[in-house]
């Protein structure tokens, strides 16, 4: 069995988070090290290691996560924002439980580093 990630511990309420939204499928909370004035993470309750590990049966869940991320971004007052899923170590993934970043509240450069 793989070891629990920090996000499993957050889902299990073993460690606290600054919660923004919760439902039966996902949890959203503020990133502990925000890269912009608004930086929120949306994670599925189901443990999916990364986007490359998602299966066809996860398609409704993935759609839900994206729609919820957009709803949260707007509830936080954002009109423009960036939705990011770092996938794999070389792409900057550090926590191996699928998560969507919603980042906004400042001008965002492109291309990202
Ligand atoms: P990744 O680099 O894997 O795409 O993103 C992981 C994110 O999780 C990082 O932005 C990091 O700041 C955030 N993070 C790591 N540990 C914690 C934590 O314990 N609490 C919260 N709220 N965010 C965390």
């Amino acid at each position: 069995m793989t070891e629990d990630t920090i996000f499993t511990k957050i889902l299990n309420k073993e460690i606290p988070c600054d919660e923004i939204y919760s439902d039966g499928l996902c949890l959203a909370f503020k990133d502990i090290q925000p890269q912009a004035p608004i930086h929120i993470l949306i994670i599925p309750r189901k443990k999916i290691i990364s986007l490359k590990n998602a299966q066809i049966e996860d398609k409704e869940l993935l759609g839900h996560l994206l729609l919820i991320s957009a709803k949260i971004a707007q509830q936080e007052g954002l009109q423009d924002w960036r939705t990011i899923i770092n996938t794999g170590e070389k792409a900057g993934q550090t926590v191996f439980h699928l998560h969507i970043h919603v980042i906004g509240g400042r001008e965002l450069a492109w291309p990202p580093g």
Side-chain angles (χ1 to χ4, degrees):
M1 217 176 80
T2 51
E3 232 177 80
D4 281 351
T5 67
I6 197 88
F7 290 172
T8 299
K9 290 180 181 156
I10 287 176
L11 284 168
N12 292 338
K13 297 189 185 302
E14 290 164 38
I15 64 165
C17 73
D18 203 339
E19 184 178 314
I20 300 274
Y21 173 88
S22 170
D23 66 24
L25 295 176
C26 69
L27 176 69
F29 52 91
K30 290 186 182 172
D31 196 292
I32 206 167
Q33 224 181 317
Q35 301 301 315
I38 305 280
H39 187 168
I40 293 162
L41 301 171
I42 298 97
I43 68 173
R45 294 191 181 278
K46 177 178 177 181
K47 183 163 184 186
I48 299 172
I49 293 170
S50 92
L51 191 55
K52 61 180 133 180
N53 303 97
Q55 302 295 313
I56 195 72
E57 63 263 25
D58 298 316
K59 80 177 173 187
E60 272 194 36
L61 174 59
L62 295 176
H64 180 74
L65 295 173
L66 266 186
L67 289 169
I68 290 296
S69 75
K71 190 172 146 187
I72 290 170
Q74 290 168 97
Q75 275 174 1
E76 291 295 308
L78 297 175
Q79 288 186 315
D80 306 296
W81 66 89
R82 192 164 291 162
T83 308
I84 298 167
I85 304 176
N86 293 325
T87 304
E89 219 167 317
K90 285 189 188 146
Q93 186 175 4
T94 58
V95 179
F96 289 86
H97 181 123
L98 175 66
H99 51 283
I100 295 177
H101 296 256
V102 166
I103 293 177
R106 66 165 167 81
E107 196 89 14
L108 297 168
W110 190 264

